[in-house]
Amino acid sequence: MQFCLDFDYAAVCIFIILLIFYYFRNQLELLQNKFFLYLTVISFIATVADIVYGYFQNMSDAERVLVSRPLIWAVNVVYYVVNMMITPLFTMYAAALVNFFDVAKGSEKRTFRLLVITPFVFAETAIILTPFLSQWVTLAFTLTETNFYVRGTTCFYALYGITFYYILLAFAMIYRYRKTLATGKKIILLSFVFFSFGGSVFQIFFPDVLIQCFSVALSVLVFSYNIEQTGMLVDGVTNLYNQQAFNMITTRQIRLNTHITVIGVYIDDMFFLSSTYDQEHLDKINGEIGVFLKKQFPKTLIYHLNMGQFCLVFEDADPRQIEKAVFQIRTRFHQQWTAEEAHILLYSRLCVIACPEEAQSTAEISDILHLVANDERYKSALIYARNIDIAYRRRTITLEHVLKNALSENKFEVYFQPIYSTAQKRLIGAEALIRLRDDEGNFISPEEFIPIAEKTGVILRAGEFVFDTVCRTLARINLERYGIEKIDINLSVTQCMQEILAEQIMSIQAVYQIPSRILDFEITETATAYTPEILLRNMQTLADNGVELSLDDYGSGYSNMNYMLNLPFKLIKLDKEIVWKAFSNNKASIALASTIQMIKALGMLVLAEGIETSEQADWLSRLGVDYFQGYFYGRPMPTDDFLELMKISTEEYYKVNGLTFSDEALAEDKKNFSEADDVEELEEAEELEELDEDGEVIPAAEKTEEKEVPESPSDPDEPEELEELEELESPEE
Ligand code: C2E
Ligand code: MG
Ligand code: MG
């Protein structure tokens, strides 16, 4: 009988190719990959042994007797020993793929270990004893006098039985955890069951065609496709592991109680660079950082979690090693990075987290990394997780969650805070201020959530919501009737960095047909510190379109006169802190007075924020401040309250000054109010189910009579009067 070795040759080729690919592939330290490697190596050895075995078998008896008998015994034993490892390894591989070792209970794992090891030990013992006991009993196989291999009578089928047992065990594992496996993976795993079962059965009936190793090679080839899928765990730009890999590997390390130290590397400028450079440049910069990190820390797991956010995970590192790594990274960031012709100096921040001391789960590590990435409080170059305020961290995470769903859950609102004109001595408009409520319906301060919204990008849609709401409100009223001459809208840093900001604003404005003259966009000083080109372009487009631009919170931070001089601002809003300070400190009051003088001399208007008392208002109006905004004139309030306040104060102003509204204003007003009444009427009727017997709505007039209308102030020049009036609708108190 001649043995056909062709399938074995093919299998050897497959294994060699797989091993070469494995070696060059970016391998993750996952259990499944380890088992895959063992499976490939063991199958490869089994195939080589099978070829040698076939080679001896194919010799003539005369030739074979000349071959060393122990050698033939050894070749067969090696073949059996390694062949016997294949199916248990596959079972382990399947278990790793379904994350059995991570998710199963201790008792389950012990049972599984027993189920795998017991038959294995039995089989391998029988195989190893085969040559030694051959005189008395033929266990797995035996050799004739001419060194010809013959199947054993005692154990041969038992060994096949054990092989089938492992296939069944793997099948049971796949079946039990079928829900955790994607269909593709299930098919891949079942292919092994199919191939190895088919191969083994074929081998029993056709012992001269050595096909078993080839069938294993085919399944390993299919697995390698699956391993290839781990490419999805590698970031294409930097060739480093991605967030998903970070989650998988770190979770495993934590489960195994490995002591790890995470160094998060943030490149803050990346976000702003994205508006200056195209994607290709950014990818190059990220790639260059990746190359540096890999070269500098070849034995460390390195991840690229996000644009401009890297992370290194050291296993069992001592503090000195971590300090050295921190030093090396920081030193490199003192030099420039190159992306084609661009040479860029990047500002990096590092965050060091020791686990399990400072974080006990991957989620906790991610939370810290995220917090440091997004929180203004952690802007120093090196942050240790042990110094991070845990309560604050939780609060930020909660806020991020609220913010993420705020738009879809209608949690944002727009409030209006009145603005008083010292020239006209009346309220002439308002600043639109965003409001957010938490799940309990309580307000969250914008000071708290705006920085988070900026970092998470939510501010873009929130800003659009504010502007859209403002425009919708203005579109439904007659501006003259309400005396509205100006509405201020805040623009955040992030919004200002958007190339399309001006176009976006103008298109919303066009939809609602809002005249440019009443819109005023406020930009804070910090916004002016970033990428001036885009900001300047946006501002110029807006200014050309006729809207007003204001510098907000002037004096609150680092005041750069250049920005005030070079950007097209018409109005400077003095920060409430410097207004308040001027009233408690003589020097500060001198400084404020000269600041106001300077702004006026530069031809710009001045608004003072935070006016809470009549003394403040009196003094500042003597200094020539054009507008006031503060609790003294009204707190931020809902739209309807604001409109009501504006209407009353405007009517009073017209009355006192002997002015009359234009016909158009009166007509518009009537129209608007009749529409509003209709809506109100319907809503109220629905609410109270106040329908008459015919199902008709009871006329609104009958009910609105009961509504409390605040008395008009006798003298609108007196802010106290306005304050009293406003107290009726003050929502924030
Ligand atoms: P801001 O633009 O300087 O707004 C004025 C802030 O001062 C408001 O705080 C207002 O309620 C408060 N304020 C006004 N007068 C007084 C006063 O007399 N006493 C006191 N104690 N406070 C007064 P708010 O509404 O909490 O907003 C804080 C900041 O959040 C705003 O400062 C602004 O920078 C930002 N913000 C608010 N709404 C928006 C928005 O829609 N978009 C953006 N990007 N930022 C917004
Ligand atoms: Mg503002
Ligand atoms: Mg302000």
Side-chain angles (χ1 to χ4, degrees):
M1 180 169 70
Q2 278 290 310
F3 286 86
C4 169
L5 298 178
D6 297 348
F7 286 104
D8 272 352
Y9 294 142
V12 163
C13 295
I14 293 175
F15 288 127
I16 291 175
I17 292 169
L18 284 177
L19 286 170
I20 291 173
F21 268 94
Y22 188 92
Y23 181 79
F24 286 107
R25 202 179 290 146
N26 205 345
Q27 284 304 331
L28 295 179
E29 289 193 15
L30 295 175
L31 204 57
Q32 66 189 64
N33 294 11
K34 271 193 197 142
F35 285 127
F36 172 80
L37 180 66
Y38 298 157
L39 198 58
T40 316
V41 171
I42 290 298
S43 308
F44 173 66
I45 299 171
T47 313
V48 172
D50 205 29
I51 291 171
V52 180
Y53 149 81
Y55 173 76
F56 289 144
Q57 292 291 85
N58 283 345
M59 285 177 169
S60 66
D61 285 354
E63 284 170 327
R64 205 181 309 106
V65 280
L66 298 177
V67 181
S68 149
R69 191 169 168 85
L71 176 69
I72 297 187
W73 274 113
V75 166
N76 281 295
V77 167
V78 168
Y79 170 75
Y80 265 87
V81 164
V82 288
N83 200 29
M84 200 58 238
M85 291 176 181
I86 293 175
T87 41
L89 269 175
F90 167 70
T91 310
M92 303 286 274
Y93 176 67
L97 269 188
V98 298
N99 288 328
F100 174 81
F101 300 105
D102 291 334
V103 296
K105 289 192 212 99
S107 60
E108 275 182 312
K109 276 192 246 180
R110 275 193 296 278
T111 314
F112 179 72
R113 220 172 292 150
L114 214 64
L115 287 174
V116 174
I117 292 173
T118 318
F120 180 75
V121 171
F122 169 79
E124 295 291 15
T125 315
I127 292 164
I128 291 165
L129 289 179
T130 297
F132 303 105
L133 303 181
S134 63
Q135 278 183 326
W136 304 284
V137 58
T138 56
L139 292 171
F141 63 94
T142 189
L143 296 183
T144 63
E145 283 185 356
T146 59
N147 290 344
F148 190 77
Y149 160 93
V150 182
R151 289 172 179 176
T153 46
T154 323
C155 281
F156 178 81
Y157 289 103
L159 292 179
Y160 262 96
I162 290 173
T163 301
F164 289 129
Y165 159 83
Y166 282 117
I167 294 173
L168 276 178
L169 192 62
F171 187 78
M173 178 67 76
I174 298 165
Y175 183 77
R176 165 127 198 244
Y177 291 96
R178 62 192 180 283
K179 287 201 181 110
T180 64
L181 277 176
T183 316
K185 271 194 181 171
K186 254 181 271 186
I187 293 171
I188 284 165
L189 282 174
L190 290 175
S191 75
F192 181 88
V193 176
F194 172 77
F195 282 128
S196 46
F197 186 80
S200 301
V201 170
F202 188 92
Q203 198 73 95
I204 292 173
F205 293 107
F206 302 96
D208 54 332
V209 183
L210 301 182
I211 202 169
Q212 210 176 350
C213 292
F214 182 69
S215 68
V216 172
L218 284 185
S219 9
V220 176
L221 192 64
V222 178
F223 294 161
S224 103
Y225 164 76
N226 176 56
I227 300 285
E228 194 74 68
Q229 302 267 304
T230 54
M232 289 169 63
L233 300 174
V234 174
D235 164 59
V237 174
T238 55
N239 230 2
L240 299 173
Y241 301 135
N242 61 16
Q243 176 82 51
Q244 207 184 337
F246 172 78
N247 293 347
M248 281 173 78
I249 300 171
T250 315
T251 304
R252 196 172 159 67
Q253 286 170 318
I254 289 175
R255 282 224 174 100
L256 294 173
N257 293 325
T258 314
H259 186 278
I260 55 171
T261 311
V262 179
I263 301 184
V265 182
Y266 307 91
I267 292 94
D268 286 335
D269 319 80
M270 210 55 94
F271 186 74
F272 295 106
L273 286 179
S274 66
S275 46
T276 314
Y277 293 98
D278 57 18
Q279 197 55 44
E280 215 177 307
H281 277 84
L282 295 182
D283 289 352
K284 285 235 165 76
I285 298 172
N286 276 298
E288 224 194 300
I289 298 170
V291 169
F292 156 71
L293 291 174
K294 260 201 280 195
K295 212 165 138 199
Q296 193 76 43
F297 309 102
K299 293 208 179 95
T300 307
L301 282 163
I302 307 169
Y303 305 89
H304 184 213
L305 301 180
N306 250 318
M307 183 68 142
Q309 194 180 333
F310 297 82
C311 163
L312 294 88
V313 179
F314 294 81
E315 275 191 14
D316 300 316
D318 63 64
R320 275 224 311 275
Q321 198 184 340
I322 297 300
E323 264 171 41
K324 191 174 162 207
V326 165
F327 176 76
Q328 286 167 327
I329 298 170
R330 292 181 64 177
T331 309
R332 175 61 188 88
F333 274 91
H334 288 148
Q335 295 153 28
Q336 289 186 332
W337 301 86
T338 318
E340 284 168 6
E341 69 291 350
H343 301 283
I344 303 160
L345 200 61
L346 296 172
Y347 175 69
S348 75
R349 286 184 301 127
L350 305 188
C351 166
V352 181
I353 312 164
C355 310
E357 298 88 338
E358 288 147 19
Q360 278 90 43
S361 66
T362 311
E364 279 190 36
I365 299 174
S366 297
D367 284 349
I368 299 177
L369 288 174
H370 202 64
L371 180 71
V372 174
N374 297 319
D375 200 295
E376 291 298 326
R377 296 194 342 169
Y378 303 111
K379 285 294 169 220
S380 54
L382 178 60
I383 300 119
Y384 286 94
R386 57 176 175 267
N387 300 331
I388 292 176
D389 175 353
I390 301 293
Y392 182 78
R393 200 173 100 198
R394 300 238 159 87
R395 171 73 178 157
T396 309
I397 293 159
T398 314
L399 281 185
E400 272 174 23
H401 179 75
V402 173
L403 273 174
K404 216 165 87 191
N405 305 316
L407 269 174
S408 57
E409 292 173 1
N410 293 328
K411 292 225 171 77
F412 282 128
E413 286 168 69
V414 176
Y415 271 37
F416 292 88
Q417 182 176 31
I419 293 176
Y420 180 85
S421 154
T422 51
Q424 298 189 45
K425 296 195 174 11
R426 69 174 185 97
L427 300 180
I428 48 94
E431 172 171 6
L433 292 160
I434 194 163
R435 288 293 175 268
L436 171 68
R437 286 175 200 269
D438 62 17
D439 292 336
E440 281 78 46
N442 302 316
F443 281 118
I444 304 169
S445 162
E447 312 264 12
E448 200 180 2
F449 74 79
I450 297 270
I452 302 170
E454 286 200 349
K455 292 289 174 182
T456 51
V458 174
I459 194 70
L460 297 178
R461 282 184 299 137
E464 203 181 317
F465 164 81
V466 171
F467 188 56
D468 190 272
T469 310
V470 166
C471 288
R472 190 151 1 105
T473 306
L474 295 179
R476 77 175 165 92
I477 57 165
N478 181 282
L479 298 170
E480 185 188 340
R481 197 73 178 81
Y482 289 85
I484 294 176
E485 290 182 6
K486 145 190 178 70
I487 295 287
D488 289 10
I489 295 115
N490 291 286
L491 290 182
S492 82
V493 185
T494 318
Q495 281 174 285
C496 294
M497 292 302 110
Q498 302 300 305
E499 291 268 11
I500 52 153
L501 174 78
E503 280 80 23
Q504 200 181 36
I505 286 176
M506 277 148 54
S507 71
I508 296 177
Q509 191 194 336
V511 168
Y512 293 101
Q513 298 182 347
I514 306 300
S516 295
R517 72 188 141 77
I518 65 161
L519 296 177
D520 181 325
F521 289 96
E522 298 182 7
I523 296 160
T524 52
E525 283 183 297
T526 43
T528 54
Y530 296 101
T531 18
E533 311 91 69
I534 297 175
L535 179 89
L536 194 66
R537 223 177 302 142
N538 273 324
M539 293 184 72
Q540 206 55 61
T541 314
L542 288 172
D544 292 347
N545 189 42
V547 305
E548 203 165 277
L549 297 168
S550 304
L551 182 60
D552 200 2
D553 300 341
Y554 184 78
S556 63
Y558 171 66
S559 308
N560 190 327
M561 200 71 77
N562 268 342
Y563 293 125
M564 200 166 84
L565 299 178
N566 296 334
L567 297 173
F569 292 121
K570 278 223 178 110
L571 183 134
I572 306 295
K573 292 186 84 166
L574 303 175
D575 189 62
K576 46 186 178 291
E577 296 289 340
I578 63 163
V579 170
W580 294 339
K581 215 177 258 171
F583 279 82
S584 61
N585 179 313
N586 199 30
K587 278 186 188 161
S589 76
I590 295 168
L592 182 64
S594 64
T595 301
I596 294 168
Q597 221 178 359
M598 174 195 70
I599 297 169
K600 305 237 57 166
L602 288 169
M604 289 182 278
L605 297 165
V606 187
L607 181 149
E609 287 181 345
I611 304 299
E612 294 188 344
T613 63
S614 59
E615 292 79 48
Q616 290 170 337
D618 289 343
W619 182 68
L620 287 166
S621 83
R622 279 201 298 280
L623 286 179
V625 171
D626 305 277
Y627 300 103
F628 290 138
Q629 185 183 338
Y631 291 177
F632 184 59
Y633 296 96
R635 286 176 180 249
M637 58 186 80
T639 311
D640 288 346
D641 294 351
F642 166 65
L643 291 180
E644 186 105 27
L645 176 69
M646 285 307 291
K647 191 160 183 269
I648 294 166
S649 112
T650 307
E651 273 171 8
E652 200 55 46
Y653 174 77
Y654 271 63
K655 207 163 90 189
V656 169
N657 291 291
L659 301 168
T660 48
F661 289 105
S662 67
D663 290 347
E664 190 199 338
L666 286 168
E668 271 291 316
D669 178 56
K670 227 171 142 196
K671 191 179 117 222
N672 277 313
F673 267 82
S674 63
E675 272 174 13
D677 283 350
D678 284 350
V679 176
E680 235 170 62
E681 182 183 313
L682 267 168
E683 278 171 359
E684 278 180 23
E686 268 166 29
E687 248 173 51
L688 307 168
E689 292 183 335
E690 284 183 287
L691 303 173
D692 66 17
E693 283 138 19
D694 298 317
E696 292 286 337
V697 179
I698 299 166
E702 288 170 30
K703 281 174 280 151
T704 44
E705 272 168 16
E706 291 153 29
K707 254 174 103 179
E708 208 182 314
V709 179
E711 259 181 46
S712 307
S714 56
D715 179 4
D717 289 0
E718 284 302 311
E720 284 96 333
E721 301 269 1
L722 282 173
E723 195 194 18
E724 270 171 35
L725 171 91
E726 179 268 329
E727 261 172 24
L728 289 168
E729 41 255 324
S730 169
E732 290 203 337
E733 283 183 335

